[in-house]
Amino acid sequence: APKSAIATVVMGLVFGAAFKLSMKAIVMPLLGSPAINQAYHYLAGNHAALPGMLIVVIFGAGFGEELVFRGFLFERLGKLFGSGVGAKAAIVFFTSLGFGLLHYPVQGLPGAEQATIVGLVFGTFFAIRRRIFGLMVAHAAFDVTAVLIIYWDLESYVARLVFN
């Protein structure tokens, strides 16, 4: 259990939102990704779709994906590879690659690239700290930030904040 659940939630929310904004404004433009995520652009101004999508990204993606990729797979692959630094690096690599590939069918290469980077960052945090709750909150905040950027039709603006 986290030492302070409130501090963990606050840090997860801040980190997740800041991480999404930096991915959208800095990393993805450097990778040549389009400013608009076409797979989810239907959410722009779509009042009817917003509540359902928020539920999906908070519970399915944020909490569910972390349980699978950082929780279950880390534990299972740890039994296979061991617990050394090299083993942990391999586990971070393979779970991140799988996480990226999971996002490819719907979001294409840009979504897979972003998910792989997110997997590398979250996986590294998990490999070092072995705590999942803060990552669940950060992942949910990352995805909620993404949904709100799309909903408020700010994707192009955020994507061009640094590299106009």
Side-chain angles (χ1 to χ4, degrees):
K3 292 179 184 174
S4 169
I6 294 171
T8 300
V9 168
V10 170
M11 288 188 311
L13 291 172
V14 170
F15 176 74
F19 186 29
K20 174 57 190 176
L21 292 172
S22 65
M23 287 293 292
K24 187 70 175 177
I26 299 168
V27 178
M28 298 313 292
L30 287 172
L31 294 174
S33 296
I36 301 292
N37 181 339
Q38 289 300 325
Y40 294 106
H41 192 64
Y42 73 91
L43 289 169
N46 188 339
H47 304 300
L50 184 63
M53 182 56 79
L54 289 173
I55 289 169
V56 167
V57 300
I58 292 169
F59 297 105
F63 288 85
E65 288 176 350
E66 289 308 309
L67 280 175
V68 171
F69 285 92
R70 260 55 77 189
F72 176 76
L73 288 176
F74 257 77
E75 192 273 329
R76 294 285 83 208
L77 291 173
K79 298 284 187 201
L80 182 65
F81 294 139
S83 60
V85 173
K88 286 181 182 178
I91 293 167
V92 169
F93 173 77
F94 287 120
T95 58
S96 300
L97 187 61
F99 189 62
L101 290 172
L102 174 75
H103 289 78
Y104 182 81
V106 174
Q107 298 182 46
L109 184 59
E113 290 171 335
Q114 177 173 256
T116 301
I117 294 166
V118 169
L120 289 168
V121 171
F122 286 178
T124 300
F125 272 106
F126 187 73
I128 294 168
R129 300 285 316 240
R130 300 299 293 184
R131 295 182 187 255
I132 199 166
F133 180 67
L135 291 174
M136 291 172 150
V137 174
H139 191 148
F142 183 98
D143 288 347
V144 166
T145 302
V147 168
L148 293 177
I149 289 169
I150 296 167
Y151 176 75
W152 290 323
D153 205 16
L154 296 172
E155 275 190 293
S156 291
Y157 173 77
V158 174
R160 292 182 176 90
L161 273 174
V162 176
F163 303 108
N164 197 6

